[in-house]
Amino acid sequence: MNFILSVISSVVGGYLLGISVLTKRWIAPFWRLGRARKFWGQFFRGRTIVVLTGRPGKHLRSTTKVSYCEVLGVLELVSFFKGLGLDVAIYNSQEIDSRQYLENNVIFVGKQNANKATLELSKKMLIPFSYDSQANTVYSEKPFITEPKDPKCPITEDYAFILKGDNPYDNGDKKVLVLAGNHGAATEGVIRYVTSKSGMDYIAGEVGKHDFSGIVKIPIEDNIPKKARPVKETFRRYGN
């Protein structure tokens, strides 16, 4: 009898240990996100793909070119999802077919005058951002201008926009997220912002789980984005 009880105890103990490990590995990271789960939660259900800006090479045989800053930003996204035990698939806008957006959440990296996938998206849904002749983001008729204005000078301050909405390629509950800076370093900066605790907390506090749009301001030193700050008056939520 003691032997049987010992075996049962070992089995139960192993089961409880397994549950504990599973909880720590899969559930605890989601718990640590706190209220930021309202913002990101829908992207954790089902498959999420990321589309960064691809540009054709000089020759037909050339490899597709991508922005170094965008790649760094995408690596942040990969690390963020990996930390939650999730994977994302990475594509570039030159090589993806819009049919692949079906039944997926999609994160578009780069603005619509550079990323043709984001441009195509803007024809399917309202993206309330445009650009002036200097490629500055314009929102509600107000330009958010890269500083200094002289293109011969290194950037010291830039802007990026965020847009979350329903995936127009899908009839279900899938979402799209657009993260786009005036320039590459700002795009990297906005990605770092939405995956940082301060950024997630701010967005969740402002818009909860709702669709929304907004702009962040990003200091830049030597082409490296520093801590982004929200432009509070630009954050607007959509839906009930």
Side-chain angles (χ1 to χ4, degrees):
M1 180 62 72
N2 289 337
F3 174 74
I4 294 175
L5 290 175
S6 178
V7 170
I8 293 174
S9 177
S10 297
V11 171
V12 171
Y15 176 77
L16 293 176
L17 178 62
I19 291 295
S20 175
V21 170
L22 183 65
T23 300
K24 183 177 180 180
R25 181 176 179 183
W26 298 104
I27 299 177
F30 286 90
W31 183 257
R32 285 198 298 271
L33 282 177
R35 64 179 181 175
R37 286 174 295 166
K38 294 179 181 180
F39 164 43
W40 275 112
Q42 291 151 303
F43 289 88
F44 301 150
R45 294 194 290 271
R47 184 169 179 259
T48 293
I49 64 177
V50 179
V51 184
L52 77 165
T53 306
R55 298 179 177 87
K58 184 177 180 181
H59 306 289
L60 289 177
R61 66 181 70 180
S62 298
T63 302
T64 300
K65 297 187 293 184
V66 294
S67 161
Y68 176 68
C69 289
E70 283 193 15
V71 170
L72 292 179
V74 169
L75 290 176
E76 286 290 325
L77 282 172
V78 170
S79 177
F80 174 67
F81 276 81
K82 284 280 188 184
L84 299 170
L86 302 171
D87 290 316
V88 292
I90 312 298
Y91 298 90
N92 74 70
S93 60
Q94 289 291 319
E95 299 170 352
I96 192 169
D97 188 302
S98 60
R99 289 173 293 182
Q100 293 173 269
Y101 305 149
L102 184 66
E103 298 181 350
N104 289 307
N105 300 302
V106 189
I107 301 174
F108 294 88
V109 176
K111 56 189 182 181
Q112 57 262 46
N113 67 347
N115 186 326
K116 74 173 189 177
T118 313
L119 176 61
E120 181 181 312
L121 175 70
S122 69
K123 298 175 182 178
K124 303 279 287 186
M125 67 181 292
L126 176 63
I127 295 183
F129 303 93
S130 59
Y131 304 97
D132 65 15
S133 60
Q134 302 300 314
N136 297 302
T137 296
V138 178
Y139 184 50
S140 295
E141 300 184 355
K142 177 183 177 181
F144 290 84
I145 299 172
T146 301
E147 294 293 347
K149 299 176 184 178
D150 186 346
K152 297 179 181 179
C153 298
I155 295 172
T156 58
E157 183 178 277
D158 213 351
Y159 293 90
F161 72 79
I162 309 166
L163 173 72
K164 177 185 173 185
D166 291 330
N167 182 347
Y169 300 92
D170 185 79
N171 294 322
D173 62 350
K174 302 306 180 186
K175 291 290 181 180
V176 295
L177 182 67
V178 181
L179 304 168
N182 286 355
H183 297 84
T187 298
E188 179 188 348
V190 72
I191 294 173
R192 292 183 180 276
Y193 179 72
V194 298
T195 55
S196 69
K197 186 178 186 306
S198 61
M200 290 187 291
D201 284 349
Y202 178 81
I203 293 171
E206 286 292 305
V207 301
K209 64 180 180 180
H210 297 277
D211 295 343
F212 74 98
S213 61
I215 287 179
V216 295
K217 183 177 183 179
I218 305 163
I220 295 174
E221 296 179 12
D222 298 325
N223 208 37
I224 299 173
K226 302 301 180 180
K227 187 176 181 180
R229 301 186 301 277
V231 182
K232 296 183 179 182
E233 65 273 17
T234 67
F235 275 75
R236 300 174 185 173
R237 77 180 195 182
Y238 308 110
N240 299 319

